[in-house]
Amino acid sequence: MADQATQSIPERPKDTPAGEAGAVAPAEGEKGPSKSALKKAAKEKEKAEKAAKRKAAEEAQKKEQDANDVSSEDYGELPMIGSQEYKPTGVKRVTLAQIADKYSETTPIDEAGGVEVCFRAVVENARNQSAKLSFLVFRETLNTIQAVVAASDSLSRQMVKFAGSVPSESIVLVHGLVKKTPEPVKSATISHLEIHVKKLYVVAKADSQLPMQVSDAERPLPLEGEEAKEDESGRPIVTLNTRLNNRVIDLRGKHNRAIFAIKDGVTALFQEFLRGQGFIGIQTPKLLGAPTEGGANVFSVDYFATKAFLAQSPQLYKQMMIAARFERVMEVGPVFRAENSNTARHLTEFTGLDLEMAFEENYHEVVEVLENLMLYIFNGLRTKYKKETDLVRSIYHVEEFKLPEAGKVPRIPFSEGIQMLRDDGLEIGDYDDLSTPDEKRLGALVLKKYGSDFYVLDQFPLNIRPFYTMPSHTAPAHQKDSTDPNAGYSNSYDFFMRGQEILSGAQRIHDADFLCKRMKEHVSPVDPNSDGLKDYVNAFRYGCPPHAGGGIGLERIVMLWLGLPNVRLASLFPRDPNRVAP
Ligand code: ATP
């Protein structure tokens, strides 16, 4: 082996131009190389030969060491699972969580040398402390534990070196002994235990150069309007764009895991509460033959020889389900909006939590169900998702979400909200839509007056709501020959968290003839006989109970509950006007 290596052609030193290191032949008519150039070339040659010899000697030594490696069977890269015949090992594997549970700080470890365990984990980091000692930190979900790989008669230096060089984020299979630590390990969540590694196999190796580190995902992004390039320790902040481009690594961060556990929790609480109130979960189509809600902000897609449109909400279908005698329906599903809104609150695809229900006498019966639903979700997050909430809020420092007492959700008429803003110095018309800053300002005023971050604004102006909204009983729309049928208020409402809208809803028109009239006289008129709307209108010709409902943006709830600076952080793979990948 050594001979073979010495015979190999020595590499040309990096800075030497081609032709210089070997014989330097002068071109015809040129002067020969100077003495000093010849001397330099000879030196380079000698250097290269020495380097080659050294390399060969090292390789020979390594080969010899490998042959004597007592641990050669105890470490290395495993063949790709699936590429070889499956032979069960019969070795019971545990999780880090189980280890932590079983050996609490006060539970003694009886076995003198520690307890044998086998587990699979991710390498958070690995380092060679010396030729005889390496340290690793293993991670599994939210748990981390330190591991030691120490050379001994039965554990080779080669294995120590291998262990300390496993790239971060690789997945490994570990056999080792659990022992108590003399001092708490600050860098690990399981600080009172450590693993003394006996065998270490790489199951799936990560690239040694990652586009970003998981720890980058565990630092806060600047808040909306803030421009931070470095964090408090002076380390550059990885931008949201880079994080989203490398979302698989980004999502490994523990705060992200918590965010999506909470998002799942909101969905579960939504369904749990409504199912308990007799709602049935439905799935309405997302591919539509015609744009249904006026045609604005809708994506069109090829549909065989024709076009189809992506649903902007399940609105019309939810109502058709009420006409189909389902009485109470709910849906969790995707909502597509072709809005070119590049804000921290808008996505082009988000998750809608929708519901619709028949009521007996007044739409406030539905508002009450919605208020109780939201309180149920907030209280569920407080109790069942406290750990996750606290973790995320540890980097996005946000005030505790202030809840009203049950049954006392501030329900403020729109006109009163306008008056509160005017009293605060804002110039605004009676029927003006609220801008985002106006909404935030009103949120602050409501918090001051009612002590609640959650409130309802009721009776919105009719002219800023969709055609299917029931006008208030006082609105001109109910009178014959009114000059302005879009004037006045409507039986519609928005719900707010920290001054930002999370839910929009209303009593819907359940009378087909009145619905046709409103479609035609609406500020953005639509044709009741058009392809996308005639089946919807007909649904109300066969007897439909009065009903109301609402649509909630799931990502908005998560963002506002946690005080996240951007709604994209609450979407796994967000879609916005500039992003449809990954
Ligand atoms: P906004 O005024 O904030 O654009 P909107 O009035 O268009 O919202 P609705 O059509 O009433 O909203 O949708 C119901 C709910 O869906 C909203 O209250 C919000 O929580 C959520 N939502 C609406 N648009 C978006 C969006 N583009 N991205 C994320 N969530 C959204």
Side-chain angles (χ1 to χ4, degrees):
M1 180 71 179
D3 285 345
Q4 215 181 337
T6 28
Q7 277 163 18
S8 64
I9 303 162
E11 271 182 26
R12 176 162 48 88
K14 267 195 184 137
D15 297 330
T16 316
E20 250 184 40
V24 187
E28 214 178 315
E30 271 180 22
K31 242 174 111 193
S34 67
K35 248 190 186 171
S36 68
L38 282 172
K39 210 167 150 193
K40 193 174 164 205
K43 252 195 177 161
E44 295 288 3
K45 194 177 168 202
E46 195 184 329
K47 224 163 108 185
E49 280 170 0
K50 267 193 188 157
K53 261 192 193 156
R54 209 171 35 241
K55 200 172 155 201
E58 276 168 14
E59 276 174 11
Q61 196 191 11
K62 185 171 180 302
K63 207 172 170 200
E64 197 186 322
Q65 278 174 353
D66 285 351
N68 300 327
D69 185 352
V70 287
S71 307
S72 58
E73 297 293 310
D74 298 340
Y75 69 97
E77 286 182 34
L78 290 181
M80 183 171 64
I81 289 191
S83 67
Q84 301 203 336
E85 192 193 342
Y86 167 55
K87 291 195 190 104
T89 60
V91 179
K92 189 175 177 293
R93 297 186 188 184
V94 293
T95 63
L96 293 186
Q98 286 167 337
I99 293 176
D101 270 358
K102 194 159 178 196
Y103 307 105
S104 72
E105 283 179 57
T106 48
T107 324
I109 292 184
D110 295 334
E111 281 95 318
V115 187
E116 293 255 5
V117 285
C118 172
F119 59 88
R120 194 162 84 179
V122 172
V123 174
E124 187 163 284
N125 60 61
R127 68 190 161 90
N128 289 304
Q129 175 87 350
S130 69
K132 293 187 191 166
L133 189 63
S134 291
F135 286 106
L136 295 98
V137 174
F138 295 131
R139 187 179 68 227
E140 180 207 78
T141 61
L142 296 182
N143 301 298
T144 54
I145 194 163
Q146 177 172 268
V148 184
V149 190
S152 66
D153 291 348
S154 57
L155 199 151
S156 67
R157 287 182 178 214
Q158 290 96 312
M159 177 166 164
V160 172
K161 190 170 174 195
F162 171 85
S165 324
V166 176
S168 299
E169 291 304 308
S170 299
I171 297 167
V172 288
L173 181 65
V174 184
H175 296 252
L177 297 167
V178 182
K179 293 189 185 179
K180 295 232 166 175
T181 52
E183 293 287 323
V185 180
K186 286 199 190 116
S187 56
T189 61
I190 306 171
S191 56
H192 64 290
L193 300 173
E194 65 183 5
I195 305 292
H196 288 241
V197 174
K198 290 173 73 179
K199 297 180 185 178
L200 183 78
Y201 305 104
V202 173
V203 178
K205 195 170 169 180
D207 283 357
S208 48
Q209 285 291 323
L210 298 179
M212 60 175 274
Q213 303 304 314
V214 174
S215 57
D216 293 327
E218 300 189 335
R219 295 182 304 143
L221 283 162
L223 297 180
E224 204 183 351
E226 267 181 22
E227 266 258 346
K229 294 209 164 45
E230 291 175 348
D231 67 8
E232 285 152 10
S233 66
R235 194 168 138 194
I237 288 180
V238 174
T239 62
L240 178 61
N241 216 21
T242 305
R243 285 178 52 171
L244 295 179
N245 286 343
N246 300 288
R247 192 63 161 155
V248 168
I249 300 178
D250 189 49
L251 288 172
R252 290 178 184 176
K254 54 180 181 288
H255 303 91
N256 272 330
R257 199 184 174 86
I259 289 172
F260 290 98
I262 287 169
K263 189 174 181 182
D264 181 50
V266 175
T267 311
L269 292 163
F270 172 83
Q271 293 173 326
E272 207 172 276
F273 177 84
L274 292 178
R275 237 172 235 133
Q277 302 272 324
F279 282 73
I280 295 180
I282 58 167
Q283 295 77 34
T284 60
K286 303 305 161 206
L287 274 174
L288 310 180
T292 46
E293 290 183 51
N297 305 335
V298 61
F299 287 113
S300 66
V301 292
D302 288 339
Y303 195 74
F304 303 104
T306 172
K307 287 259 172 245
F309 303 87
L310 296 180
Q312 293 159 280
S313 87
Q315 183 58 39
L316 307 192
Y317 287 95
K318 285 191 297 184
Q319 290 187 254
M320 287 159 87
M321 290 307 294
I322 300 297
R325 304 272 181 266
F326 271 59
E327 296 287 324
R328 294 179 167 208
V329 292
M330 61 170 165
E331 177 166 8
V332 178
V335 173
F336 302 95
R337 298 275 166 98
E339 293 167 306
N340 202 353
S341 301
N342 292 289
T343 75
R345 301 176 1 266
H346 288 95
L347 298 164
T348 48
E349 179 180 346
F350 65 92
T351 313
L353 303 177
D354 272 88
L355 65 97
E356 204 67 29
M357 66 176 266
F359 63 80
E360 296 293 331
E361 294 185 350
N362 183 272
Y363 76 100
H364 282 157
E365 292 162 33
V366 181
V367 176
E368 199 174 316
V369 171
L370 287 167
E371 287 169 354
N372 290 336
L373 163 69
M374 292 313 302
L375 292 176
Y376 184 81
I377 293 175
F378 296 142
N379 283 317
L381 289 177
R382 265 188 175 175
T383 50
K384 294 189 190 157
Y385 293 87
K386 183 173 175 0
K387 201 169 132 197
E388 288 83 355
T389 299
D390 288 348
L391 178 65
V392 180
R393 288 192 189 159
S394 68
I395 59 168
Y396 293 112
H397 308 289
V398 69
E399 294 274 324
E400 181 58 45
F401 191 83
K402 293 190 188 61
L403 281 181
E405 284 170 49
K408 295 211 174 136
V409 179
R411 199 186 292 168
I412 302 164
F414 186 86
S415 55
E416 196 181 312
I418 293 288
Q419 194 51 52
M420 285 170 78
L421 285 167
R422 281 195 191 131
D423 293 345
D424 194 50
L426 186 75
E427 274 184 33
I428 185 165
D430 284 345
Y431 299 103
D432 287 355
D433 204 355
L434 297 179
S435 67
T436 305
D438 297 345
E439 283 180 354
K440 286 187 181 166
R441 187 158 166 181
L442 185 57
L445 294 172
V446 172
L447 177 62
K448 207 162 143 198
K449 186 163 173 187
Y450 298 95
S452 174
D453 274 314
F454 171 52
Y455 74 98
V456 176
L457 212 50
D458 189 20
Q459 288 286 311
F460 271 70
L462 182 60
N463 65 356
I464 56 169
R465 305 300 279 205
F467 63 78
Y468 45 75
T469 310
M470 180 64 85
S472 302
H473 68 280
T474 51
H478 287 296
Q479 291 146 22
K480 270 203 177 128
D481 308 323
S482 65
T483 47
D484 184 358
N486 292 307
Y489 295 98
S490 62
N491 289 354
S492 66
Y493 38 83
D494 278 3
F495 284 27
F496 293 84
M497 280 174 75
R498 301 189 199 272
Q500 293 198 49
E501 179 200 321
I502 50 147
L503 177 153
S504 244
Q507 177 183 348
R508 331 292 187 179
I509 297 169
H510 60 283
D511 177 283
D513 292 337
F514 188 56
L515 180 61
C516 289
K517 170 176 131 64
R518 284 300 302 150
M519 285 171 144
K520 291 182 209 154
E521 68 191 19
H522 190 259
V523 282
S524 310
V526 289
D527 178 5
N529 295 313
S530 64
D531 278 350
L533 294 171
K534 65 176 187 298
D535 296 323
Y536 166 71
V537 174
N538 283 341
F540 303 108
R541 297 201 186 280
Y542 320 130
C544 178
H547 60 282
I552 311 171
L554 174 56
E555 290 80 5
R556 289 258 181 104
I557 297 187
V558 175
M559 166 175 99
L560 294 164
W561 176 254
L562 294 170
L564 303 178
N566 198 307
V567 72
R568 287 163 184 77
L569 293 172
S571 172
L572 284 175
F573 297 98
R575 265 68 185 121
D576 66 28
N578 300 308
R579 178 179 289 282
V580 277

